[in-house]
Amino acid sequence: MGTTTMPVGDYLRDWRRRRRMSQLDLACEADISTRHLSFLETGRAQPSRAMVLHLAERLEVPLRERNVLLVAAGYAPTFPERPLDDPALHAAREAVDLVLAGHEPYPALAVDRHWTLVAHNRALPCLMGGVDPALLRPPANSLRVAMHPDGMAPRILNYAECRDHWLAQLRRQIVLTGDPVLVALLEELSGYPLPRGMNGRAARHDYAGVGLPLKLRTDDGVLTFFSTITTFGTPLDITLSELAIESMFPADPETAERLRAWAASPSSP
């Protein structure tokens, strides 16, 4: 939980503006008067615990920052933050492992709010050939591994498109969360030089609505993937609310066949 440095009204106003809502917009969403909302933001009125959580819900404030709002208003934080290996999260960790293992022979990984690699299945290493081992040492950052010049970037055939997509995702996440660690990560990744022989202009292709694929050159040929993201539906724990599982699917029969062959190889993990 971040340290509170402002009155709760300032935090509420900051989140409202971050969501590009007027006082009238938020008041209508929360079913309160604009006068009362104005008083809450200026400190002329003190919100109840229930009102803090009510407004935070309407503003889609992340659980981590809802605790900050509560503390700023003088209340104890509500949402716990446990490590994923905490006994209280045993069922959730089992669910994550089940999804990862069940997706084999295709790669899948779980990341936290900062894109730090939390867990992965046995198929993920097939994508990591040629990556500098220093980038893979814990805590490995999945975006850094993908975009660093010593990472996967030189082998991603449609890197310019992927780079634009990943940076756009990161910018949207910053808007939603205001996380300074993500701001620093965006600055770092934006400053990486392009791999040799590539220009910064992303080609525009029609991928039949499936989404932007990842086209990766490997020793066994080109692997092409599209991916889906899985999150917990109604988490009340901060760790679970910030966890995302990316499952990668083969975008063509050749990729599927190569991954099945890799999984059947005696040298595979």
Side-chain angles (χ1 to χ4, degrees), residues 8-38:
V8 65
D10 290 349
Y11 281 111
L12 289 171
R13 182 170 56 250
D14 179 66
W15 280 106
R16 175 176 60 77
R17 290 173 175 172
R18 190 183 298 277
R19 297 295 181 256
R20 299 186 178 182
M21 298 176 73
S22 67
Q23 284 189 340
L24 178 60
D25 292 333
L26 179 55
C28 290
E29 285 282 332
D31 197 24
I32 62 175
S33 70
T34 54
R35 177 184 176 86
H36 185 45
L37 178 58
S38 176

Side-chain angles (χ1 to χ4, degrees), residues 103 105-107 126-127 152 155-158 161-162 205-207 210-218 220-228 246-260:
H103 195 63
Y106 309 140
C126 73
L127 308 183
M152 296 170 60
R155 298 186 295 115
I156 298 176
L157 300 182
N158 59 332
E161 283 181 301
C162 290
H205 297 294
D206 179 11
Y207 293 110
V210 173
L212 178 65
L214 173 70
K215 297 183 176 182
L216 186 69
R217 185 179 64 249
T218 72
D220 296 322
V222 175
L223 302 180
T224 306
F225 299 94
F226 66 91
S227 63
T228 63
E246 181 173 6
S247 302
M248 305 180 71
F249 293 84
D252 54 48
E254 293 78 15
T255 298
E257 179 57 34
R258 289 190 182 102
L259 289 171
R260 285 192 291 266

Side-chain angles (χ1 to χ4, degrees), residues 158-232:
N158 59 332
Y159 178 72
E161 283 181 301
C162 290
R163 178 181 186 274
D164 286 355
H165 173 70
W166 290 326
L167 293 181
Q169 275 189 303
L170 196 50
R171 292 188 185 99
R172 284 194 296 270
Q173 193 176 353
I174 289 169
V175 169
L176 289 173
T177 66
D179 192 321
V181 175
L182 295 179
V183 173
L185 181 62
L186 175 63
E187 183 178 356
E188 175 192 338
L189 300 181
S190 300
Y192 286 166
L194 292 173
R196 186 176 303 172
M198 294 187 185
N199 61 53
R201 295 189 299 274
R204 301 303 172 190
H205 297 294
D206 179 11
Y207 293 110
V210 173
L212 178 65
L214 173 70
K215 297 183 176 182
L216 186 69
R217 185 179 64 249
T218 72
D219 293 339
D220 296 322
V222 175
L223 302 180
T224 306
F225 299 94
F226 66 91
S227 63
T228 63
I229 303 296
T230 302
T231 59
F232 283 87

